[in-house]
């Protein structure tokens, strides 16, 4: 990989990478009275994240079902009460979340020079509210609902690449997650990859990604 990447498209994960994904914050608020000990809460939050990941590995189903089932499974594992439709509170909150503080500044230096693309593990009804808050134009916005497949399934990346009509080595894929994005991008032959250090996952050696502190570091990777 050269020092300056020159992609035809820059493709992004949205939730967590661009949008400040507040699942953990909400969980700590909702379950504060049911898991009063800090160490229990930390583990509960991690379990909820793990079950959300597990849920997207199977056949596609609406994102509301992903969240609700993952939360129910987490509560069952921890012996915590799951209250009716509690998972829908998360689903309905997602479109209200805005970007990390660095995102608009970083994207605004690139958006008029290289086409920006999103592939998000979201429903169509959610994602555009989040995208509007990013304040820059996107060439394409793809969702798991659109293609009936969630990341990290390789079929998600295949659908994105085929729809864009490009080759894997013509992309720069940007994400704060190796599990959901960068490992799959590596397996698909996407050589140019940027890992955004949002501190919900550590950096993984061996997948050819370049680490940046935040989106303000992205323009330099493409010579802008």
């Amino acid at each position: 990989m050269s020092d300056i990447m020159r992609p035809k498209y820059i493709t992004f994960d949205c939730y967590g990478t661009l949008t400040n994904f507040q699942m953990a914050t909400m969980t700590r608020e909702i379950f504060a009275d049911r898991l009063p000990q800090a160490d229990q809460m930390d583990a509960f939050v991690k379990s909820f994240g793990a079950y959300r990941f597990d849920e997207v590995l199977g056949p596609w189903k609406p994102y509301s079902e992903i969240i609700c089932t993952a939360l129910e499974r987490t509560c069952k594992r921890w012996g915590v009460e799951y209250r009716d439709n509690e998972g829908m509170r998360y689903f309905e909150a997602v479109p209200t979340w805005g970007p990390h503080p660095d995102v608009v500044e970083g994207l605004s230096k690139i958006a008029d020079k290289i086409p920006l693309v999103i592939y998000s593990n979201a429903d169509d009804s959610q994602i555009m509210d989040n995208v509007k808050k990013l304040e820059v134009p996107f060439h394409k916005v793809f969702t798991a609902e659109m293609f009936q497949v969630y990341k990290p399934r390789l079929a998600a990346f295949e659908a994105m690449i085929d729809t864009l009509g490009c080759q894997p080595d013509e992309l720069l894929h940007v994400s704060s997650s190796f599990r959901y994005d960068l490992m799959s991008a590596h397996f698909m032959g996407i050589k140019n990859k940027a890992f955004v250090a949002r501190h919900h996952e550590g950096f993984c050696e061996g997948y050819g990604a370049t680490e940046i502190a935040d989106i303000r570091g992205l323009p330099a990777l493409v010579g802008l």
Side-chain angles (χ1 to χ4, degrees):
M1 186 165 56
S2 62
D3 292 335
I4 300 297
M5 305 175 191
R6 302 191 183 279
K8 185 174 181 179
Y9 300 103
I10 303 179
T11 55
F12 294 87
D13 164 64
C14 186
Y15 297 149
T17 303
L18 301 178
T19 296
N20 184 7
F21 201 51
Q22 299 176 50
M23 287 283 182
T25 301
M26 278 194 69
T27 301
R28 293 178 189 280
E29 293 171 355
I30 291 171
F31 289 89
D33 62 333
R34 282 171 268 178
L35 286 161
Q37 297 181 21
D39 59 340
Q40 283 188 321
M41 181 63 77
D42 290 344
F44 185 86
V45 167
K46 289 181 180 179
S47 290
F48 185 27
Y51 280 122
R52 292 198 308 274
F53 183 76
D54 189 61
E55 284 294 316
V56 301
L57 298 177
W60 181 86
K61 56 187 175 183
Y63 191 58
S64 58
E65 292 185 26
I66 296 289
I67 295 175
C68 290
T69 304
L71 187 60
E72 287 188 64
R73 292 174 70 188
T74 306
C75 289
K76 181 179 179 181
R77 176 180 171 186
W78 282 88
V80 172
E81 178 190 5
Y82 175 80
R83 297 170 185 167
D84 287 346
N85 294 319
E86 204 151 42
M88 289 303 295
R89 291 178 60 181
Y90 293 86
F91 180 77
E92 291 164 359
V94 169
T96 70
W97 296 337
H100 290 283
D102 52 275
V103 168
V104 174
E105 178 184 346
L107 293 182
S108 64
K109 297 178 180 179
I110 303 172
D112 62 343
K113 300 174 180 66
I114 301 173
L116 308 182
V117 175
I118 282 173
Y119 193 119
S120 179
N121 280 359
D123 283 1
D124 295 345
S125 63
Q126 297 175 300
I127 191 64
M128 293 315 298
D129 287 323
N130 301 108
V131 172
K132 288 175 185 175
K133 295 177 179 66
L134 302 178
E135 299 182 21
V136 299
F138 278 80
H139 174 69
K140 294 287 184 182
V141 177
F142 301 128
T143 68
E145 182 179 10
M146 186 181 300
F147 293 123
Q148 303 281 284
V149 63
Y150 288 99
K151 300 177 298 177
R153 297 281 305 279
L154 296 187
F157 288 85
E158 288 175 320
M160 178 174 69
I161 291 167
D162 291 347
T163 304
L164 291 173
C166 64
Q167 297 299 314
D169 59 8
E170 294 179 302
L171 301 180
L172 164 57
H173 191 67
V174 182
S175 177
S176 60
S177 175
F178 278 87
R179 290 181 303 155
Y180 278 96
D181 285 86
L182 297 175
M183 290 180 181
S184 298
H186 172 77
F187 298 144
M188 285 297 301
I190 299 174
K191 297 178 181 178
N192 297 323
K193 297 176 289 294
F195 171 70
V196 186
R198 297 291 188 201
H199 307 298
H200 53 256
E201 279 188 33
F203 184 82
C204 293
E205 297 284 353
Y207 293 96
T210 299
E211 184 173 3
I212 55 177
D214 57 41
I215 298 298
R216 287 174 295 216
L218 188 59
L221 295 187
V222 293
L224 298 174

